[in-house]
Amino acid sequence: MIYTQCNLSLISGIFCPPDAIKGDIGACGWVILILSALFTAITFPLTIWFCVKIINEYERAVVFRLGRITSGKPKGPGIIFILPCTDTFLKVDLRVISFAIPPQEILTKDSVTTTVDGVVYYKIYNAIKSVANVNNVHVATAQLSQTTLRNILGTQTLSSILSNREEIAHNIQSILDNATHDWGVNVERVEMRDVRLPVQMQRAMAAEAEAVREARAKIVSAEGEMNASRALKEASMVMCESPAALQLRYLQTLATIATENNSTIIFPIPIDMLQGLQKK
């Protein structure tokens, strides 16, 4: 009898602290709670395996007693004690969770159809809110991420999506973080992984880029020819002032050809000799 009373006082002190239950559970609830504590005390060596639970370091347990959350904060990590007949608990993982947003077909502001997917990283910072305020916090966060991605990218043009991906991802992360705050979720990072365009749009953009490159190449070639013609004009003026410079240029050209390819070199007849023969 003394052993039973000691066990009963111990168990009532562990499982029924003054601030353990918020709200009134009613007379029937107290009767069920007392009977459960008595049953646990009488069968203490056996029920200890049902009362003791181990919570990992990265987990928290939200304990429900007769349908009510037992305290204002979750329990764990370590060993927790529950009543086998009246208490139930849910484990909540506090680690960072990542999921891929399925490819979303989006019509941009400039009427271009594109497919965008991404990755969201989030974690639960309040286990009680994640259990009590939403049915399935992971499914709700995933669905909200899909709709937010579609809504944000629908107001952007294709060029802004391709050039401002980091800024758009930061805006999506801010919207998701504000929306999931009441769920006990903190969205830490959002990344746009891939932006896929239709094949026809890819061909049109490739043709446009090729045309721009060709136009730039023609402009560069024209500028080079203009600069070369100016240089040749200045060189011709110098050679006109000194006829021997033309002969030196001949010799320099022949030396250049000889270093590249082995060939027979024919020296041109100087123009001065031809002028002398013509006079005779």
Side-chain angles (χ1 to χ4, degrees):
M1 186 65 181
I2 298 175
Y3 176 73
T4 304
Q5 291 178 355
C6 292
N7 287 337
L8 181 58
S9 62
L10 176 62
I11 293 173
S12 61
I14 294 175
F15 298 111
C16 303
D19 59 344
I21 301 176
K22 288 188 174 182
D24 188 10
I25 62 175
C28 183
W30 281 108
V31 170
I32 295 174
L33 188 63
I34 293 172
L35 290 177
S36 177
L38 287 173
F39 175 76
T40 304
I42 294 171
T43 60
F44 178 71
L46 297 178
T47 55
I48 189 63
W49 305 107
F50 301 96
C51 298
V52 177
K53 303 295 181 181
I54 298 176
I55 305 301
N56 294 325
E57 181 67 29
Y58 54 86
E59 294 177 335
R60 297 295 182 271
V62 180
V63 181
F64 293 88
R65 179 164 296 163
L66 297 178
R68 295 178 179 271
I69 298 176
T70 57
S71 61
K73 61 180 181 179
K75 294 184 178 181
I79 299 176
I80 65 173
F81 299 90
I82 64 172
L83 285 174
C85 300
T86 60
D87 292 357
T88 58
F89 71 98
L90 293 175
K91 289 183 180 181
V92 179
D93 195 335
L94 302 184
R95 292 177 294 181
V96 176
I97 301 173
S98 64
F99 66 90
I101 301 176
Q104 303 293 314
E105 189 173 357
I106 298 168
L107 183 64
T108 61
K109 188 177 181 180
D110 51 353
S111 301
V112 177
T113 303
T114 180
T115 303
V116 182
D117 60 353
V119 182
V120 178
Y121 299 88
Y122 71 97
K123 69 176 181 180
I124 297 174
Y125 72 91
N126 192 319
I128 294 179
K129 287 184 178 181
S130 66
V131 173
N133 294 351
V134 62
N135 183 18
N136 191 327
V137 65
H138 303 293
V139 175
T141 304
Q143 292 180 351
L144 182 62
S145 301
Q146 296 179 22
T147 56
T148 304
L149 180 67
R150 295 174 64 91
N151 294 335
I152 294 298
L153 295 184
T155 61
Q156 303 290 330
T157 61
L158 179 61
S159 59
S160 64
I161 292 174
L162 297 176
S163 59
N164 300 326
R165 297 174 65 173
E166 294 184 0
E167 182 179 356
I168 295 174
H170 181 70
N171 293 335
I172 295 174
Q173 184 263 335
S174 300
I175 294 173
L176 288 177
D177 193 21
N178 293 331
T180 58
H181 180 74
D182 293 336
W183 301 346
V185 174
N186 181 22
V187 179
E188 295 188 344
R189 191 177 184 87
V190 176
E191 292 291 341
M192 295 174 58
R193 186 165 56 181
D194 189 15
V195 179
R196 284 173 286 183
L197 301 175
V199 178
Q200 296 179 354
M201 179 60 65
Q202 294 179 7
R203 292 177 180 174
M205 294 179 67
E208 180 182 1
E210 185 177 359
V212 171
R213 287 194 297 268
E214 289 181 356
R216 291 179 180 176
K218 290 180 180 180
I219 292 173
V220 172
S221 178
E223 291 178 353
E225 291 180 356
M226 182 177 62
N227 295 331
S229 62
R230 289 177 180 176
L232 289 174
K233 179 181 178 181
E234 294 177 358
S236 63
M237 294 176 64
V238 173
M239 290 181 181
C240 289
E241 295 177 357
S242 177
L246 182 60
Q247 300 296 328
L248 294 175
R249 183 58 182 166
Y250 284 158
L251 296 176
Q252 185 179 3
T253 303
L254 293 174
T256 303
I257 295 173
T259 55
E260 294 180 357
N261 298 316
N262 295 326
S263 59
T264 303
I265 298 176
I266 301 175
F267 288 93
I269 300 174
I271 297 177
D272 296 339
M273 294 179 62
L274 294 176
Q275 291 178 355
L277 294 174
Q278 185 177 2
K279 290 179 180 180
K280 292 181 179 180

